[in-house]
Amino acid sequence: MANLLYQQIEMLSREKHIEPEIVVSAIEDAMVVAARKYYKTEEDLRGKFNSETGQVDVFSVMTVVEEVADPTREISVADARKKNPAAEVGSEILTSKPTDVLGRIAAQTAKQVILQKVREAERDNIYNEYHNRVGELVTVIVKRAEGPDLIVDMGRTEARLPKREQSKLETYNIGERLRVVIRMVDRAAKGPQVIVSRADAALVQRLFEMEVPEIYDGTVQIRAAAREPGERTKVAVFSRDKDVDPVGACVGMKGMRVQSIIRELRGEKIDIIPYSEETVAFAQKALSPAKVTRVQITDPEAHKLEVIVEDSQLSLAIGKKGQNVRLASKLIGWDIDIKSEEEKRREIEEQMTALTAPTTPLTALAGVGPKTIEKIEAAGITSLEQLAGMTPEQLMEIPGIGEKMVDKIYQAVNQFYEGGGIAAAAEASAETGEASAEAVESAAEAESESAEAQGPAAETSVAETEQASGETASTETAAESAPASEPAAEPEQVPEKHDEESA
């Protein structure tokens, strides 16, 4: 009997890939649960497997203490020494409990406990074995389908291939062999704990390691990979040896190496790109097969790039449904904004037009007070054109601007653009131009008058003006002619002065 029971324990341990001691411990715990349920006691019970008899004995365990506080779990020294003369404080007294009276219900309870314990031990064993193998390539066999998910056989255990981890263009048949990567190990899952994937980019990397010896020995490294399962994959490779071409090593002679990987992926396209430490150069290569004109980093902190391509290359750079630029962005880890040269040219023209366009100051608005204008300018709105392009919600976000003030501002803007403000500005500019013209003419007349006053005919013209203007004008002219006669005597005095100096 003992040998038969122990043989069953060993067979179960081999089948479940667990240690025999775990099975024995599960049997002992099961007998304790069955005995407690039968005896309906709160005593501390302990089971022990007897390898000689093949039986599991159940004992009531009581701790020896000086003063008993819990009679179901403690025993005094005097009572303990009646059963065991060598008993001391802190030792344990074991009392055997009959197990042959447990019955059928207790046996069913023990069976359920044994199965549960063995199942938990098996799951712990699977987790300990596979949680360090995440990302490893394994070969599985499709066993059955559970809804959209597939259950595959890994040999020692089953694994789950969820719908999200399946390639979109692939179909799977029962009994088919697949190469998958271990995606994760879920310890709390009710079904299979191991989750495998056919859609992860790590699958492509593991396949390259199998097909390319240079990658396996570390001469060529896969620095990054981005994948859209069933459609396209981009792989960035780098060579640690200058004499080894990383792209050529991955492609192989006449493309044999990469073609075998494409067949395994059911025709999925693969772009092999040389890796570069420089972001600009890496982005240009990542967008292949499109030819990039230039790349500019717009926001280094947010990792944003602006890529300019020729008009004929725009659709190729973007790819089908944006696939090419999306994969390139995943590969380099930067957000890519692609523009054609025509779009960039129009954008620059609009910016230049905005910079050179005339702006009207906010003070041109009639009916808007200076305090309100100060609040608007504090929000960064410095021209009437900017103000006209704002919505009421945007205006109300400015501190100190309410609904009534928004209506007042819009009325002032409408009045300005209806013609009142523009006409006033035009009239003001016209008046300014006429005033400046009159000032120029008066200045010219003054210059001509002073020139005539210095000539020999100045006295004659003054005399004629006196006769025509009357007495008042003659008095003024006489007053003006007196100082005019003084500079006329200067030419006569200059030669005399020169003669004296020469003498």
Side-chain angles (χ1 to χ4, degrees):
M1 180 64 183
N3 293 333
L4 180 61
L5 180 60
Y6 200 77
Q7 288 176 3
Q8 294 292 329
I9 291 174
E10 288 184 344
M11 185 177 67
L12 182 63
S13 63
R14 285 195 301 268
E15 181 182 351
K16 301 298 184 181
H17 303 285
I18 57 179
E19 297 295 331
E21 290 78 7
I22 297 176
V23 181
V24 171
S25 176
I27 295 174
E28 293 175 349
D29 293 341
M31 292 302 294
V32 169
V33 172
R36 180 173 284 109
K37 186 174 184 180
Y38 177 79
Y39 290 108
K40 298 178 181 180
T41 179
E42 296 296 330
E43 296 177 334
D44 185 11
L45 301 180
R46 183 180 301 172
K48 187 176 182 182
F49 176 73
N50 191 336
S51 59
E52 295 179 357
T53 62
Q55 293 182 354
V56 181
D57 299 325
V58 178
F59 299 93
S60 173
V61 182
M62 304 187 75
T63 305
V64 180
V65 295
E66 293 180 354
E67 294 183 2
V68 178
D70 185 3
T72 60
R73 297 175 180 271
E74 297 175 347
I75 188 173
S76 64
V77 178
D79 293 339
R81 286 179 177 174
K82 292 178 182 179
K83 297 181 179 181
N84 184 6
E88 296 179 355
V89 176
S91 61
E92 294 179 345
I93 300 298
L94 302 180
T95 305
S96 179
K97 292 278 188 180
T99 58
D100 54 352
V101 296
L102 296 181
R104 180 178 60 83
I105 297 177
Q108 290 292 333
T109 303
K111 180 181 178 182
Q112 293 176 2
V113 172
I114 291 172
L115 293 176
Q116 182 180 357
K117 294 287 185 179
V118 171
R119 191 179 299 113
E120 290 177 357
E122 184 182 9
R123 293 176 68 84
D124 290 341
N125 192 25
I126 291 173
Y127 178 81
N128 294 332
E129 179 179 356
Y130 287 100
H131 84 282
N132 291 326
R133 297 175 59 185
V134 173
E136 182 178 327
L137 181 68
V138 294
T139 302
V140 299
I141 300 174
V142 180
K143 195 171 183 179
R144 65 182 183 276
E146 291 185 356
D149 299 346
L150 294 177
I151 304 301
V152 296
D153 187 7
M154 297 182 65
R156 296 186 59 179
T157 185
E158 291 181 346
R160 182 179 296 275
L161 181 62
K163 180 66 176 179
R164 65 179 183 275
E165 299 294 342
Q166 300 175 17
S167 180
K168 298 178 182 178
L169 303 181
E170 292 182 356
T171 55
Y172 309 101
N173 301 318
I174 304 300
E176 184 180 1
R177 298 177 67 88
L178 299 175
R179 286 180 178 176
V180 297
V181 291
I182 299 176
R183 184 74 172 81
M184 62 178 295
V185 182
D186 187 3
R187 195 168 195 168
K190 294 182 179 180
Q193 295 173 272
V194 183
I195 309 298
V196 295
S197 174
R198 284 278 297 177
D200 200 290
L203 175 64
V204 181
Q205 298 185 36
R206 300 291 92 80
L207 292 174
F208 268 106
E209 291 175 0
M210 289 184 60
E211 295 293 336
V212 182
E214 290 83 357
I215 295 179
Y216 183 78
D217 62 18
T219 304
V220 176
Q221 297 177 344
I222 298 178
R223 290 295 184 90
R227 184 184 182 201
E228 289 195 357
E231 297 183 5
R232 184 179 290 271
T233 298
K234 286 183 180 288
V235 180
V237 293
F238 175 78
S239 177
R240 299 173 62 184
D241 190 348
K242 296 181 179 180
D243 297 331
V244 177
D245 179 18
V247 177
C250 295
V251 173
M253 185 68 68
K254 297 182 180 180
M256 293 179 61
R257 293 177 177 176
V258 72
Q259 285 298 326
S260 63
I261 299 174
I262 292 174
R263 285 193 298 270
E264 175 64 30
L265 299 177
R266 315 290 175 87
E268 183 176 318
K269 298 177 182 179
I270 299 177
D271 294 340
I272 303 174
I273 300 165
Y275 177 81
S276 176
E277 295 289 347
E278 297 181 359
T279 303
V280 173
F282 191 23
Q284 290 179 338
K285 297 172 183 177
L287 286 168
S288 64
K291 295 181 180 179
V292 178
T293 304
R294 63 183 180 274
V295 178
Q296 182 180 358
I297 297 176
T298 56
D299 192 346
E301 296 181 357
H303 283 198
K304 292 185 178 181
L305 292 174
E306 184 182 67
V307 177
I308 308 300
V309 298
E310 296 181 359
D311 296 348
S312 60
Q313 296 287 315
L314 182 61
S315 60
L316 185 61
I318 295 175
K320 183 180 179 181
K321 298 180 181 180
Q323 183 187 86
N324 192 57
V325 66
R326 190 164 54 249
L327 285 174
S329 179
K330 290 180 182 178
L331 190 69
I332 66 177
W334 287 62
D335 293 336
I336 300 177
D337 183 16
I338 293 186
K339 298 179 181 178
S340 65
E341 292 185 348
E342 180 64 21
E343 291 177 357
K344 187 63 177 178
R345 184 183 61 80
R346 288 199 301 266
E347 181 180 339
I348 294 174
E349 288 179 354
E350 291 175 358
Q351 293 176 354
M352 295 299 294
T353 303
L355 291 174
T356 57
T359 57
T360 305
L362 296 177
T363 53
L365 287 175
V368 180
K371 293 184 178 179
T372 304
I373 292 176
E374 290 178 0
K375 295 177 183 178
I376 297 174
E377 290 178 346
I381 311 302
T382 58
S383 66
L384 193 145
E385 287 77 14
Q386 288 179 291
L387 185 64
M390 296 181 67
T391 62
E393 292 78 9
Q394 292 174 339
L395 282 174
M396 292 182 65
E397 291 178 359
I398 300 175
I401 303 297
E403 294 183 2
K404 295 182 179 180
M405 184 56 65
V406 170
D407 295 338
K408 187 175 182 181
I409 291 172
Y410 269 95
Q411 290 177 3
V413 172
N414 292 334
Q415 289 177 2
F416 181 86
Y417 280 105
E418 282 175 359
I422 297 175
E427 290 176 1
S429 62
E431 291 175 358
T432 305
E434 291 176 359
S436 61
E438 291 177 356
V440 171
E441 290 178 359
S442 61
E445 289 178 357
E447 290 179 359
S448 61
E449 289 176 358
S450 61
E452 290 175 355
Q454 294 176 1
E459 296 178 355
T460 306
S461 61
V462 171
E464 293 176 355
T465 306
E466 289 174 356
Q467 294 176 0
S469 60
E471 295 177 355
T472 306
S474 64
T475 306
E476 294 177 354
T477 307
E480 291 177 358
S481 62
S485 61
E486 294 176 2
E490 291 180 357
E492 298 176 357
Q493 296 174 0
V494 171
E496 295 176 356
K497 190 175 181 180
H498 283 293
D499 292 338
E500 292 175 359
E501 290 178 356
S502 60

